[in-house]
Amino acid sequence: MWGVRKLSSSSSRPLAVFKSRSRSPQAGCSRSVTSAVYLENQLSWTLQIKPWVFSKYRIMWFKSFRMTSAYLNTMKNYRYPWTRPYSTSRTTVDSREVKTFLALAHRWWDEQGAYAPLHSMNDLRVPFIRDNLLKTIANHQPGKPLFGMKILDVGCGGGLLTEPLGRLGASVIGIDPVDENIKTAQHHKSFDPVLNKRVEYRVCSLEEIVEETAETFDAVVASEVVEHVLDLETFIQCCCQVLKPGGSLFITTINKTQLSYALGIVFSEQIAGIVPKGTHTWEKFVSPEKLESILESNGLSVQTVAGMIYNPFSGHWHWSENTSLNYAAHAVKQEHLAPAEFVLKEDTEELQAQASSSPAMHEELKKGL
């Protein structure tokens, strides 16, 4: 409907899971055996499955020989964002960007001013967020479809996106490191009594609230933000840490192409004056491929990438299959699973059936404990 392309890395991964008791990445990677959980009489056993046991009973195998190599590489490179608390001694905030936005803090709600493209972008990004979140809600209230959901709007600025999400019923926290931006957002919120109960603003960076809000939010929104942060990988790590398992991360940003430099910086800033000079730095733009790689390596599965095109003459945005300029991405945080815990679904059922019916297998499995 929006000219989007579906992205998924699931084709290179097995389909089902045995959960390991140990969440330590060191423990999971150093062992030469696979951990599994077997339930019998409401007791949970951690079974160390030896390679020859798998061969003897034909319990588990990979779909292809190439999978073995891919699996080992995944084991080597896999990251565990949920077990590695972020250190607040580092920051993703660029002080030069703070100065730029501080000078524009009073202009957020001028729909014909510097932020006019962001006002118009709400016609795309609000439905994009709403519709993807509604896929996770069985029943929703008319008029308040996002009621009960907790959303974090990172780099909220003056609240241009925070307020519409609050009006959809969600409880939204907007954060921004620029104090004047938050003052503008709070002042504008005061005109709508409904928002006072649903929207909260804080002057802080994302990394400052990681520990206190770990796995708190159903969704994190970073719209037109990642092209301004100092450390993109750290920023994505923090986004992942504050998301609940199964939660959604929504990003809109600018691709790093020659076209984005010509139109996004030379034309928009230096010629047409659509946005103030110095707003963007081309070196900070990120391609969908690189962004997807960072997201996937931090436990986030990319669901959708959609191109967005802005018409400076009409002042409107529309969806496109072309992602060479602006684009939106939606990713979902995976469950707390390590690579060694992935096996095929039919094999897990076979393991449980054979283990419960074969005394010989029980004894063989127990020898690994």
Side-chain angles (χ1 to χ4, degrees), residues 224-236:
E224 305 306 295
V225 172
V226 300
E227 68 270 24
H228 299 289
V229 300
L230 198 60
D231 185 341
L232 179 57
E233 292 205 29
T234 298
F235 181 82
I236 297 299

Side-chain angles (χ1 to χ4, degrees), residues 81-156:
W82 45 81
T83 60
R84 185 179 65 252
Y86 176 75
S87 172
T88 55
S89 62
R90 298 169 59 190
T91 181
T92 62
V93 178
D94 189 330
S95 59
R96 293 171 296 181
E97 300 277 0
V98 170
K99 292 180 181 179
T100 299
F101 287 100
L102 180 61
L104 300 170
H106 64 288
R107 303 175 65 181
W108 279 104
W109 289 97
D110 179 2
E111 296 187 20
Q112 305 301 320
Y115 293 115
L118 294 184
H119 283 272
S120 178
M121 188 184 288
N122 277 357
D123 293 340
L124 295 190
R125 57 185 179 176
V126 173
F128 182 70
I129 296 168
R130 178 199 63 202
D131 294 348
N132 279 290
L133 290 179
L134 285 179
K135 296 175 183 178
T136 66
I137 303 176
N139 299 302
H140 60 271
Q141 299 184 19
K144 296 188 293 183
L146 300 185
F147 179 79
M149 304 205 78
K150 292 184 178 180
I151 300 177
L152 178 66
D153 185 8
V154 184
C156 65

Side-chain angles (χ1 to χ4, degrees), residues 231-348:
D231 185 341
L232 179 57
E233 292 205 29
T234 298
F235 181 82
I236 297 299
Q237 290 173 17
C238 292
C239 288
C240 183
Q241 288 179 34
V242 300
L243 270 177
K244 295 178 181 178
S248 290
L249 173 61
F250 297 95
I251 292 175
T252 67
T253 188
I254 309 174
N255 197 349
K256 190 175 183 180
T257 61
Q258 292 180 345
L259 185 62
S260 69
Y261 178 79
L263 296 181
I265 294 180
V266 176
F267 177 77
S268 297
E269 294 186 15
Q270 301 175 11
I271 298 177
I274 298 173
V275 294
K277 292 182 179 180
T279 300
H280 296 113
T281 303
W282 186 79
E283 287 75 16
K284 287 185 176 181
F285 291 177
V286 58
S287 69
E289 293 78 15
K290 181 178 180 180
L291 180 62
E292 181 187 358
S293 176
I294 297 173
L295 292 169
E296 295 281 353
S297 67
N298 282 281
L300 290 150
S301 176
V302 178
Q303 306 296 303
T304 306
V305 171
M308 301 189 299
I309 303 294
Y310 180 68
N311 186 330
F313 302 104
S314 66
H316 296 294
W317 292 83
H318 65 270
W319 293 109
S320 170
E321 294 183 359
N322 189 337
T323 59
S324 59
L325 290 172
N326 296 73
Y327 64 94
H330 171 221
V332 174
K333 181 177 179 178
Q334 300 173 1
E335 300 295 329
H336 293 188
L337 305 174
E341 298 171 309
F342 290 104
V343 295
L344 299 177
K345 177 181 288 187
E346 58 267 26
D347 298 334
T348 67

Side-chain angles (χ1 to χ4, degrees), residues 161-174:
L161 182 56
T162 318
E163 289 195 7
L165 295 175
R167 292 191 180 94
L168 290 174
S171 297
V172 191
I173 296 179

